Amino acid sequence: QVQLVESGGGLVQAGGSLRLSCAASGSIASIGAMGWYRQAPGKQRELVADITSGGVINYADSVKGRFTISRDSAKNTVYLQMNSMKPEDTAVYYCKAVYARNSNYAWSWGQGTQVTVSS
């Protein structure tokens, strides 16, 4: 099992920045990709960015050039640096980790952290 704890959400004005952190614990050696998702009220959860264990990164078009995902393997932590934020970035942000379990794959979600961008 892998447990995830997010931190760093809050309220920021449009154009501002926030940095989210997600610390993993448990079966960390089995973790492959980690990523950030978000869910705004009344909308489906969507991918923001993810990063594989080999460092391959994928961003949603809506955040390219503004958000940066990074991973510190020594600290078992993934970060999301959010710059030039917009009101439409307002959502609950969730961390996700995909890991190997019993010759298959499983995933864990964090509890979510609220990000609110005021106009």
Side-chain angles (χ1 to χ4, degrees):
Q1 289 280 1
V2 172
Q3 295 80 42
L4 304 172
V5 177
E6 301 125 334
S7 60
L11 174 65
V12 64
Q13 289 188 333
S17 299
L18 279 176
R19 188 193 195 205
L20 305 182
S21 300
C22 173
S25 61
S27 301
I28 55 178
S30 63
I31 295 176
M34 296 184 73
W36 290 96
Y37 290 70
R38 66 186 181 187
Q39 187 167 18
K43 295 188 176 182
Q44 289 189 331
R45 191 172 297 188
E46 62 177 4
L47 173 70
V48 176
D50 60 14
I51 181 169
T52 69
S53 55
V56 177
I57 292 173
N58 178 45
Y59 291 105
D61 287 343
S62 59
V63 306
K64 283 181 181 177
R66 300 189 298 120
F67 291 9
T68 302
I69 190 170
S70 60
R71 185 168 177 171
D72 187 334
S73 296
K75 295 182 179 180
N76 306 312
T77 300
V78 64
Y79 304 96
L80 186 67
Q81 178 66 44
M82 304 183 290
N83 298 328
S84 302
M85 297 187 73
K86 305 175 181 180
E88 50 263 44
D89 294 322
T90 295
V92 178
Y93 283 69
Y94 297 89
C95 178
K96 178 183 179 181
V98 179
Y99 61 98
R101 187 178 70 177
N102 298 330
S103 301
N104 211 326
Y105 288 100
W107 54 90
S108 291
W109 291 97
Q111 80 283 1
T113 185
Q114 177 69 48
V115 171
T116 302
V117 185
S118 62
S119 56

